[in-house]
Amino acid sequence: MRLSRRTRLAGVALIAAGSLTLAACGGGSDDKSEGGGGSKSVITVYGTNPQNPLIPTATNEVGGGDPIDNLFSGLVAYNTDGSVTNEVAKSIEPDAAKKVWTVTLKDGQKFTDGSAVTAESFVKAWNYGANPDNKQLNNYFFYPIEGTDDIGNTVKGAKTVSGLKVIDDKKFTITLKSAESDFPLRLGYSAYFPVPDSAYDSAGKITKEYGEHPIGNGPYKLTKSGWERNKQISLEPNPDYQGVHKPKNGGLIFKFYAGGGTDAAYTDVQSGNLDVLDQVPPSALTTFESDDKVKAYNEPGSSFSSLTIPERLAHFGNDEEGDLRRAAISEAINRPEITEKIFNNARTPASDFTSPVLDGWTDKVAGNEVLKFNAEDAKAKWAAADKIAKWDGKFVVAYNNDGAGNKEFTEAMTNQLKNTLGIDAEPKVYATFDELRKDVTDRTIKTAFRTGWQADYPSMLNYLGPIYATGAGSNDGDYSNKDFDKLIQEASAAEGAARYKLIGEAQAILMKDLPAIPLWYQNATAVTAKDLKGFVFNWKQKPDYYALTK
Amino acid sequence: MWWYVAKRLLQTIPVFIGAVAILFLLLQLRQGDPVLNLAGNKPVSQEVRNAIAAQYHLDDPWYSQMFYFIKGALTLDFGNTFSGQPVMDLIKETFPVTVTLAFMALLIDAILGITIGTIAGLNRNGFFDSTALVISLLLISIPIFVLGFVMQLIFGVKLGWTSPTVGGDWTVTDLILPAIVLAIANFAYTIRLTRTSVAENLSADHVRTARAKGLSNRAVVRNHVLRNSLVPVVTYIGINLGSLMAGAVITETIFNVPGIGNAAYQAIQQGQTATVVAIVTFMVMVYVLMSLLVDLIYAVLDPRIRYA
C-alpha cells in the first residue's frame, strides 16, 4: 500500500499526540479511602502536603504535624486549655531538685503493629532526634536535657544523649541541665513521641518506608491508602487506643490544598466539600463571621508577633540611647489602628511578650504602657536620644512578602513612625520567608525585621527563655541580660504564684530593654461546615480533632 | 520527512542542556536558605543545616548542581523532594491532570474559537461579527484570576452545579469549569485570528478561481478558504498548549487542581532547586515536542510545505 505523503505526516502527528494522551492516563485513581468506624462519619479537614517524612522528630510544620499529633501519643496529652494529663506515662516524678525526672509507663501500651511501647521506644527515638547526623529538624527540642548543646544536638561526637537512661522496660530517667518545674508540659510535643523498633533499619536509621507510612500509638492510625502525595492523608480510629483522646468520629481526612490554598478551602467549606478550615484566608476575614453558609470562630490565639531591632545596629546598642529609641518606636506604633484597619480585628494588640491563652497571663505587666500609642512621649524620648547621639539615616523594617498582610502592616507601621517621629522610615521586602530568615540567622541583616513565635508547649516561659535568654536558639537580636536570665531560671524551678511573680519581673525587664517590640497576638480563626459539632480551639490554635463529629 | 523528524528530535538535546543551565543560573538569583524554610520560626543547628544542604547539594556552585542533575537525568533519576518523594513520581502524579486540563481547554478553545471565528469572518461586519468582536474584546481584558474566582463563586458556590474545587480525587467532570476558565482568554484570540484569516482568504485569487469554476459555496469555504485560513490558527493553538500548561498555575491554584503548575509553584516557594529544574525542564520538553507536532500538521494543511 502506498501512503500519500500527507497521510504519513498525519500518522506521525497522530502517534505523537497519542503518546501524550497515553501519558495522561496514568493518574486519577479513584480508590476511596476506607474510613470505617460504623455509623460515625469521617471528618474532612484542611491540610497541606507534608514537607518532610512523617517521622515525629523530622516534622515541624503543620502539614505533617497535624497528622502526626493524631497518629502518636506522647507521655502526656494536652487538654484543650493547655494543661496536661498523663497519657502513655503512669507517672512522671521529679527528684527534690527538679532536675532528674523518672518516667514510669502504663501497662499494655501498644503500637498499631502490635509491638509494646517501652522505655526504649522513647529513649531511642529521642537519641535519634538529637543526633545531628540524622538531620532531624526537631532536634532543638532536646536542648533542656543533659548531654545536648544549646541547640539540642548531642554533644560533639556522642551518638546518644547522656541525660537519658533506661532503667527497665517500663521506666527511664531524664536528667536536665537545670531545674525545671514544668518539664512535663514539654512532653506532649511531637518531638517527644515514641517510635517502634520496626522503624529502624539494620544501620539504625529510620527507614524511608516508615516515613511514608508511620506506625504510631495514637488515637488514630493510617488507613490502607494512608498518605497519598499531593492529595490527602486518611486516618481511621485506632481500636487499641486506651488514652484520653478517644476519637468520637469515624476518621479524619486531611485534604491537601496546594499553592494559595486557603481560598480554595474556604469555598469548599461554603459548598460542603470540606468540614473544617482552621485558618481563614485574608480575603474572607471581613466577611466570614457574617457568612451564613459556614460556622465561624474567632478568638485570641497563641502566636505572637514582634519587631526585632538587633543591638548591633548603630544607635540601637544596649545602652541608654538604644533603650530610648526602642521605647520611642514602640510608642510611635498605633497597634489598634493596624489590627483593625489591616487585619480586620483578626489580631489583638499585644500587652506583653507571651499570649493571652496561657495560664498566668495578665495584661498588667509592669512597664507595658510602652506598648500604648503615645505620640508626645515618643517624640520626647526620640529627642532625648538625639541629645546623646544625633540620629541620621533611615529606619528600615524588613518583612517577607509571602505571608499574608506582612506588606500592608509593615508599610502602615513605617508610615506611623515617619509621621510620629518625623524620621525617614521604610519597609524592605524579602520575597520569601527563608530569604529573610537566612539573613537573620546568619546575622547579615542590617535592618530591623519582623519576628514571630508560636509556642512549642503551653507555658509562658516558652515565649521568653528560647527567644531572649543569652545565647538561646531563637535569640535573633543577640539580646543578653544577666538579671533576665536569672529570673527565667528561677521561674523555671518555682511553682504556683511565685512562678508567675518571677515571670512578671522578667517581663518587666523586657519592657524596659525591648529586645523585641511586641506588636500583636494573632487570633485563631476558623470556619466549619454548619453541621459540624465539637469544634473548640485548643491552646495551639488547632481543633481537638478527636472531638469533631457531625 | 523521517530524517526531518529525527533532526528535530536531536535538536532537543542542546535545548535540554541549555534550559537546565539557564534554570540553575536563574535559581541562583533566589537568595535564602531552603533549610530555614523547613525550620520555620524554630532554631536549627548549624550541623543539621549543613547535613541537609549537603544531601541536596544546596551549597554547591550552580555548575556542579547542574552536573549532578544531568548525571541523574541520564538515568531518569531526578532526585527526591524534601518530603522524600522521587521527583519523577511527583511529575508522574501531577502531569496527567495538567495535560487533561490543558487538552480540555485546547478543545474548547479550538472548537468554539474556530467555529465562531469562521462564521464571523464569512459575515464580515455583520451583526454576528460585531457581537463576537465585542465579546472577545471583553474576554481578553478580564484577568484570568478574576474570571476564575467569579465563575467559581457563581457555578460552584451559589448555583452548586459543579464542585468549586477539584482536589486529589479529580475527574474530568470536575475539570470542566477550570478548563473553561483557562480556555476563555485564549479562545478570544482564536476567534479574532480565525476571523481575520478567513476574511482575507475570501478575497484571495484561488478562492475567486474556485468560485469561477462554479463550485458550490460550501465546497469553496471548506476546501479553499478554511484549510488555508487554518495555518496561522493551528500555529497559535499548538504553541498555546505549552502556555496553557504553564498558565495553569493560576487556574490550578484557584480550583485546587493537584497539577504540575501547583507542584512547581510550591517547589519554587520552598527553594527546592532540583525539583523546580526537573519540572520546568520537563515542561520545556513538552513545549518543544508540541512545536514539532505543529510543524508537522502544517504540512498536512498546506501542501506547499515540504520537509526534507
Side-chain angles (χ1 to χ4, degrees), chain A residues 24-45:
Chain A
C25 296
S29 65
D30 52 359
D31 54 320
K32 289 274 175 279
S33 50
E34 40 266 76
S39 61
K40 291 174 184 171
S41 51
V42 175
I43 311 289
T44 52
V45 298

Side-chain angles (χ1 to χ4, degrees), chain A residues 513-533:
Chain A
D513 291 349
L514 293 174
I517 295 171
L519 295 175
W520 36 75
Y521 316 115
Q522 194 169 333
N523 280 22
T525 54
V527 288
T528 69
K530 298 227 82 153
D531 56 348
L532 188 102
K533 293 184 209 62

Side-chain angles (χ1 to χ4, degrees), chain A residues 243-530:
Chain A
V244 293
H245 290 167
K246 195 103 187 124
K248 293 182 180 151
N249 46 46
L252 298 172
I253 293 176
F254 288 89
K255 201 169 160 190
F256 299 157
Y257 289 84
T262 44
D263 284 305
Y266 188 86
T267 5
D268 265 356
V269 177
Q270 284 181 313
S271 55
N273 287 343
L274 181 73
D275 295 324
V276 179
L277 167 64
D278 58 9
Q279 49 188 98
V280 174
S283 60
L285 276 181
T286 41
T287 51
F288 81 103
E289 287 177 287
S290 55
D291 189 338
D292 60 10
K293 286 184 173 342
V294 300
K295 272 203 240 177
Y297 300 84
N298 184 3
E299 51 190 74
S302 59
S303 59
F304 168 82
S305 298
S306 54
L307 169 71
T308 299
I309 311 174
E311 285 178 8
R312 56 180 183 283
L313 297 189
H315 299 291
F316 287 100
N318 188 10
D319 49 29
E320 201 192 338
E321 189 203 355
D323 286 354
L324 279 167
R325 290 207 194 275
R326 284 195 177 79
I329 286 175
S330 176
E331 287 179 344
I333 299 169
N334 189 345
R335 293 171 180 78
E337 190 177 60
I338 296 181
T339 54
E340 192 193 320
K341 296 263 164 62
I342 291 177
F343 292 115
N344 296 304
N345 293 322
R347 304 280 188 284
T348 307
S351 55
D352 81 332
F353 285 85
T354 66
S355 155
V357 301
L358 299 170
D359 260 0
W361 180 84
T362 164
D363 60 356
K364 297 190 179 48
V365 178
N368 72 356
E369 59 277 356
V370 74
L371 306 183
K372 293 253 153 53
F373 178 61
N374 186 342
E376 291 314 308
D377 200 44
K379 269 183 216 148
K381 282 186 169 138
W382 193 262
D386 267 351
K387 284 206 186 95
I388 300 170
K390 188 93 186 97
W391 169 259
D392 53 352
K394 227 185 258 176
F395 185 74
V396 182
V397 181
Y399 68 96
N400 54 308
N401 206 11
D402 56 352
N406 285 350
K407 177 174 191 277
E408 290 78 4
F409 97 70
T410 314
E411 278 172 358
M413 197 165 70
T414 46
N415 278 332
Q416 290 179 347
L417 293 177
K418 251 194 243 177
N419 296 337
T420 314
L421 298 176
I423 57 169
D424 197 1
E426 67 175 28
K428 180 179 179 207
V429 59
Y430 281 83
T432 60
F433 176 74
D434 66 292
E435 286 170 48
L436 172 63
R437 290 306 303 175
K438 182 172 165 52
D439 278 3
V440 171
T441 312
D442 297 344
R443 303 290 189 257
T444 50
I445 195 156
K446 302 222 163 40
T447 64
F449 49 89
R450 67 164 284 271
T451 35
W453 185 256
Q454 186 129 33
D456 309 320
Y457 63 101
S459 160
M460 288 169 86
L461 285 172
N462 186 238
Y463 286 78
L464 304 174
I467 317 178
Y468 311 112
T470 306
S474 290
N475 193 340
D476 293 333
D478 290 324
Y479 174 70
S480 171
N481 183 319
K482 291 276 166 323
D483 296 336
F484 174 79
D485 292 352
K486 193 161 153 280
L487 282 168
I488 287 295
Q489 212 153 57
E490 283 171 20
S492 300
E495 271 167 290
R499 173 196 187 82
Y500 295 129
K501 190 168 158 282
L502 289 164
I503 291 178
E505 287 170 27
Q507 287 216 65
I509 294 181
L510 297 184
M511 287 296 174
K512 196 181 142 288
D513 291 349
L514 293 174
I517 295 171
L519 295 175
W520 36 75
Y521 316 115
Q522 194 169 333
N523 280 22
T525 54
V527 288
T528 69
K530 298 227 82 153

